[in-house]
């Protein structure tokens, strides 16, 4: 899903001309609503592009965390002035989508120098025997 979203957004709208990278394993097991996860990535990447500016770097990561899948979006912008709870309609949407997946959102500092938004999702249920 992440690769599909990045391919769709490359060269369009706020991501045009940005350096955009995806780091993801072949697959991370998850039970997700594909439209909601797409929306989360679109919102986070649009925010990251606006923050990073025209020459900024963006990176999306998909991780198999110990408690379930994690989506991360990093940028090289100025970061969040208030890490406990940045606001805005897009981030409210991201929080709601995370909660609908049994997850949560965390805000931090990216190794790219700007912000990192982590969306933790509930793990996929174990296969039934």
């Amino acid at each position: 899903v992440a690769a599909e979203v990045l391919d769709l957004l490359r060269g369009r709208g706020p991501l045009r001309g940005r350096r955009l990278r995806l780091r993801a394993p072949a697959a991370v097991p998850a039970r997700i609503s594909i439209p909601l996860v797409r929306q989360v990535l679109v919102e986070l990447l649009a925010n990251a592009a606006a923050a990073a500016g025209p020459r900024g770097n963006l990176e999306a990561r998909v991780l198999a965390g110990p408690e379930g899948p994690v989506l991360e979006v990093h940028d090289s912008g100025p970061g969040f002035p208030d890490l406990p709870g940045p606001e805005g309609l897009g981030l409210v949407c991201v929080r709601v989508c995370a909660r609908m997946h049994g997850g949560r959102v965390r805000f931090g500092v990216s190794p790219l120098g700007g912000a990192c938004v982590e969306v933790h999702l509930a793990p996929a249920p174990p296969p039934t025997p």
Side-chain angles (χ1 to χ4, degrees):
V1 173
E4 174 190 307
V5 169
L6 269 65
D7 286 345
L8 177 70
L9 294 178
R10 278 187 214 284
R12 294 185 182 183
L15 285 121
R16 185 179 324 206
R18 303 299 193 296
R19 280 167 261 161
L20 178 58
R21 181 176 175 176
L22 173 63
R23 288 187 182 195
V28 174
R31 179 180 283 177
I32 61 169
S33 163
I34 291 174
L36 289 179
V37 170
R38 280 185 188 133
Q39 185 64 33
V40 163
L41 288 168
V42 167
E43 294 291 346
L44 291 178
L45 289 166
N47 283 352
R55 290 192 169 89
N57 292 316
L58 309 175
E59 185 171 289
R61 298 177 185 176
V62 180
L63 310 165
E67 297 175 15
V70 180
L71 305 174
E72 294 181 353
V73 173
H74 297 258
D75 68 63
S76 60
F80 293 116
D82 178 19
L83 288 179
E87 292 300 327
L89 186 55
L91 292 176
V92 169
C93 175
V94 168
R95 280 189 178 112
V96 169
C97 289
R99 285 188 197 124
M100 290 176 74
H101 284 88
R104 67 189 188 286
V105 179
R106 292 184 58 205
F107 302 95
V109 178
S110 171
L112 298 179
C116 169
V117 179
E118 299 174 3
V119 180
H120 296 256
L121 304 172
T128 54

